[in-house]
């Protein structure tokens, strides 16, 4: 076995132990990826997605989950490429649209991401993340009043602001 293959087998073996996969049982890569992501192990979750995509290259669930992980890791361009693959076949995929908007937001392309959030909200106005991301894009692009007109964003924004003030006050009291 060459060195690269040995490293991959060792890496995979460690992941299987983390996931508590018994020898001889079928590996459910997407379930494992979800568990790893919940633990903040995004690189490992991406690895699981890659293993699933090696078996089923067009699996939209694996592509989408990998894109979400990549966005969270700051690898937004890669995420957009994956989401575009999904949107070519499923132009109305709500989660892929939301993910692409989020990745564009991560790249600081605020005006460009807004139509994606609007499209998602047009399909389902109850998606909290779409409201929050849209508010963030508006706020970061200098459109403060429009951002604050979004109730969910305003509530979330003010809640986080209050938390930061409380933490700063506690820190000041400790010094």
């Amino acid at each position: 076995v060459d060195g690269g293959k040995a490293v991959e087998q060792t890496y995979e073996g460690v992941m299987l132990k983390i996931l508590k996969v018994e020898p001889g049982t079928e590996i459910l890569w997407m379930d494992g990826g979800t568990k790893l992501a919940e633990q903040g192990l995004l690189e490992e979750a991406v690895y699981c997605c890659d293993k699933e995509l090696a078996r089923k290259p067009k699996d939209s669930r694996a592509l989408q989950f990998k894109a979400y992980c990549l966005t969270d890791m700051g690898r937004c361009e890669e995420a957009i490429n994956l989401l575009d693959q999904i949107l070519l076949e499923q132009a109305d995929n709500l989660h892929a649209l939301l993910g692409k908007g989020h990745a564009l937001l991560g790249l600081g392309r605020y005006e460009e991401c807004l139509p994606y959030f609007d499209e998602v909200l047009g399909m389902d106005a109850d998606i909290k993340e779409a409201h929050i991301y849209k508010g963030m894009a508006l706020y970061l692009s200098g459109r403060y009043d429009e951002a604050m007109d979004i109730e969910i964003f305003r509530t979330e924004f003010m809640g986080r602001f209050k938390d930061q003030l409380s933490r700063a006050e506690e820190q000041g009291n400790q010094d």
Side-chain angles (χ1 to χ4, degrees):
V1 179
D2 67 45
K5 187 78 171 156
V7 169
E8 184 174 345
Q9 287 172 346
T10 302
Y11 183 66
E12 192 171 302
V14 169
M15 256 194 291
L16 295 176
K17 283 183 182 173
I18 292 170
L19 296 172
K20 298 180 175 121
V21 175
E22 297 296 323
T25 59
E26 182 184 359
I27 301 166
L28 303 174
W29 288 110
M30 293 311 298
D31 291 345
T34 302
K35 288 177 187 171
L36 291 165
E38 287 169 358
Q39 296 175 37
L41 301 170
L42 299 178
E43 284 284 351
E44 292 76 6
V46 166
Y47 179 86
C48 290
C49 292
D50 287 339
K51 294 298 276 188
E52 186 66 23
L53 289 166
R55 290 185 347 181
K56 295 185 251 171
K58 296 216 180 240
D59 184 314
S60 63
R61 180 177 169 228
L63 286 169
Q64 190 171 289
F65 185 63
K66 180 178 178 179
Y68 272 57
C69 290
L70 290 171
T71 298
D72 287 347
M73 294 164 56
R75 294 165 56 185
C76 298
E77 290 288 352
E78 291 174 73
I80 289 170
N81 290 333
L82 295 175
L83 294 163
D84 282 342
Q85 289 177 39
I86 297 168
L87 292 169
L88 275 174
E89 311 230 348
Q90 305 168 25
D92 63 345
N93 182 315
L94 188 133
H95 298 290
L97 291 165
L98 180 64
K100 183 163 182 183
H102 186 213
L104 289 166
L105 177 64
L107 290 170
R109 292 158 59 180
Y110 308 128
E111 294 298 325
E112 196 177 337
C113 70
L114 289 170
Y116 289 94
F117 302 135
D118 286 336
E119 190 168 348
V120 168
L121 292 167
M123 292 181 200
D124 186 344
D126 294 330
I127 297 183
K128 181 180 177 181
E129 290 87 359
H131 288 283
I132 292 171
Y133 294 157
K134 180 179 179 180
M136 287 174 59
L138 290 167
Y139 189 86
L140 293 169
S141 66
R143 295 161 63 183
Y144 309 116
D145 291 340
E146 287 177 76
M148 291 302 170
D149 285 343
I150 300 170
E151 184 180 343
I152 295 171
F153 173 75
R154 184 178 61 246
T155 304
E156 189 80 16
F157 183 84
M158 294 310 289
R160 290 183 185 198
F161 184 68
K162 287 177 187 174
D163 287 347
Q164 286 183 344
L165 285 176
S166 294
R167 276 190 242 125
E169 189 177 312
E170 286 174 16
Q171 191 71 16
N173 290 337
Q174 290 175 1
D175 291 341

